[in-house]
Amino acid sequence: GKSDYAANFNDFLDEAPANKPWCFWYGAIEPHRDYEFGSGIKKGGKRLTDIDHVPEYWPDNEITRTDMLDYAFEVEHFDRHLERMLESLEKRGMLEKTLVIVTSDHGMPFPRCKGSAYDASNHVPMAMMWKKGIASPSRIAEDFVSFIDIAPTLVEVAGLKWNETEMAPTSGKSLTNLFRSSLSGQ
């Protein structure tokens, strides 16, 4: 069966030290290849016509559309667990003061995406929420950021200096300047 990520998160929160910074990394495996072909239709109630766009570099046929629906079904599994985690933070009174970062680790597991040097493999989603720390929520910042920026951001948000962490030097930059900005775009 699939892992109950949200239950694991609740177990973590039960053990997390009070009034100390913590970090929980939720990494789902389901959107990676090895999902069941046809599961988006059979288990997710999807239809081939739900796909409104097939990239021009893939064949637009039943197999491709079914594969896209299967992938979407697995991403929705991720989303349901994330929703449960956010609800748990809210019930515990922790949501407003918790920085939540949601991202994909690479492009979709399709040709010209994952493992390739195309836009679809390098331009991946990232959303951040921190009700007490992001000045102007609900905006889209289009600045170039990289995963190497996440650790310096978390270190700064935790109130530490990089040299206090005993981690190797990084070329990443904290994203907290984006949190303070009210601008959309770049």
Side-chain angles (χ1 to χ4, degrees):
K2 297 183 182 203
S3 297
D4 191 341
Y5 302 108
N8 293 343
F9 180 61
N10 278 324
D11 291 345
F12 171 83
L13 289 178
D14 289 343
E15 299 294 325
N19 300 316
K20 284 187 151 187
W22 52 263
C23 179
F24 183 87
W25 192 288
Y26 162 37
I29 61 168
E30 285 78 13
H32 294 76
R33 279 279 170 207
D34 198 25
Y35 38 79
E36 177 186 343
F37 185 78
S39 60
I41 295 170
K42 287 186 279 190
K43 296 178 181 176
K46 301 183 179 309
R47 298 182 315 269
L48 293 177
T49 56
D50 291 343
I51 302 291
D52 61 1
H53 172 76
V54 175
E56 64 277 359
Y57 44 83
W58 298 340
D60 187 351
N61 59 36
E62 185 175 332
I63 292 171
T64 300
R65 286 173 175 264
T66 300
D67 202 27
M68 292 173 74
L69 292 173
D70 296 345
Y71 176 70
F73 178 63
E74 298 299 345
V75 170
E76 289 169 353
H77 175 76
F78 172 93
D79 292 348
R80 283 189 298 277
H81 282 269
L82 176 61
E83 181 178 17
R84 287 174 51 202
M85 291 174 187
L86 295 173
E87 288 170 354
S88 180
L89 286 169
E90 190 166 38
K91 285 178 189 170
R92 294 170 186 254
M94 300 171 72
L95 186 58
E96 285 195 5
K97 62 183 180 179
T98 302
L99 170 60
V100 177
I101 302 172
V102 179
T103 185
S104 171
D105 61 345
H106 47 65
M108 301 179 298
F110 291 89
R112 290 186 67 147
C113 296
K114 180 180 176 180
S116 301
Y118 294 100
D119 189 52
S121 62
N122 294 302
H123 185 217
V124 296
M126 176 183 273
M128 296 186 189
M129 179 178 73
W130 186 18
K131 293 185 179 203
K132 284 195 173 184
I134 296 179
S136 298
S138 301
R139 63 189 165 87
I140 298 174
E142 296 175 349
D143 299 66
F144 180 79
V145 299
S146 177
F147 287 166
I148 61 171
D149 300 329
I150 294 175
T153 303
L154 295 176
V155 166
E156 184 178 338
V157 166
L160 301 171
K161 301 277 186 234
W162 190 264
N163 60 355
E164 296 172 336
T165 67
E166 299 184 15
M167 290 188 281
T170 180
S171 57
K173 306 290 183 217
S174 174
L175 302 175
T176 56
N177 62 324
L178 295 175
F179 298 169
R180 292 186 289 273
S181 175
S182 61
L183 303 175
S184 293
Q186 286 192 341

